[in-house]
Amino acid sequence: MAIRKVTTYPADVLRRKAKTVTEIDGNIQRLIDDMAETMYNAPGVGLAANQIGELRRVIVVDTAQEEEESKRELIALINPEILEVEGKHAIEEGCLSVLYFREEIPRSEKVLVKALDRHGNPIELSAEGIQAIVLQHEIDHLNGVLIIDHVSSLKRSLYKQRLKKMLQEKK
Ligand code: NI
């Protein structure tokens, strides 16, 4: 396992659509392990493959936020698809790839997701609350969509200016 570098906006790879995984093999399992380690190291509650520069439809999620390894609740999904949504919910979201930005993002309250697990077995997962939000956030990544796409164009352009300034100051 390895901690990988998390790509940040405006990197092109974050704007590309990740490709469907057609072969579940050791490479995909290694990718999942790297993504999990990178997520826990950040720390974050979710990560999509695009964020470490891999255009494959793989996400990892763990909203338990437990430091102890034995208490972790890692969910790794390959080719996740949202089948059903219900209700509305919004919490303040941040993203490891969108620096210096936190906003309430309108989402569905509950989701039903189908995917393959790390061994290629089909699974269905129904989620609500934070877990449902993180799933929507990570699946957005696989489609090249970021949290800044869910806010007004004014907020987005203010963010772009702010980011530019912050990055210049860091140099
Ligand atoms: Ni994100």
Side-chain angles (χ1 to χ4, degrees):
M1 292 207 281
I3 294 167
R4 307 270 294 262
K5 187 179 178 292
V6 177
T7 308
T8 57
Y9 175 83
D12 176 62
V13 71
L14 296 170
R15 290 315 205 173
R16 308 249 315 264
K17 209 172 161 184
K19 290 192 184 76
T20 301
V21 174
T22 51
E23 224 171 309
I24 314 285
D25 54 14
N27 289 327
I28 285 296
Q29 281 149 8
R30 260 191 303 278
L31 174 65
I32 288 170
D33 292 342
D34 284 359
M35 286 172 63
E37 198 173 348
T38 305
M39 173 181 73
Y40 288 122
N41 176 260
V45 290
L47 195 76
N50 311 44
Q51 294 180 274
I52 57 164
E54 304 265 1
L55 285 169
R56 284 183 277 182
R57 300 188 82 80
V58 178
I59 62 171
V60 291
V61 171
D62 187 346
T63 51
Q65 290 180 289
E66 289 283 355
E67 273 181 41
E68 254 179 80
E69 249 182 277
S70 60
K71 289 187 185 161
R72 285 176 176 172
E73 293 170 22
L74 177 68
I75 299 169
L77 301 178
I78 299 168
N79 302 337
E81 263 176 69
I82 295 175
L83 296 179
E84 284 170 31
V85 298
E86 197 189 312
K88 284 186 179 142
H89 191 38
I91 58 164
E92 203 180 69
E93 293 180 38
C95 178
L96 297 172
S97 294
V98 183
L99 303 175
Y100 318 114
F101 187 84
R102 292 193 71 83
E103 259 320 307
E104 270 192 17
I105 309 293
R107 303 278 189 193
S108 299
E109 187 186 9
K110 295 179 185 175
V111 292
L112 176 66
V113 173
K114 82 165 191 181
L116 300 176
D117 70 9
R118 63 179 287 136
H119 306 292
N121 302 311
I123 49 168
E124 277 192 8
L125 176 68
S126 81
E128 55 181 79
I130 290 185
Q131 196 180 55
I133 284 174
V134 176
L135 284 166
Q136 291 168 79
H137 177 125
E138 302 313 331
I139 293 170
D140 264 1
H141 272 301
L142 301 180
N143 295 321
V145 175
L146 299 172
I147 48 176
I148 49 172
D149 302 324
H150 290 286
V151 302
S152 68
S153 55
L154 175 65
K155 271 190 183 158
R156 195 159 48 247
S157 60
L158 287 172
Y159 169 67
K160 286 179 190 171
Q161 287 171 24
R162 191 166 77 244
L163 179 68
K164 221 178 190 177
K165 218 175 133 211
M166 299 290 272
L167 296 178
Q168 265 162 9
E169 279 169 12
K170 266 181 82 183
K171 270 180 196 165

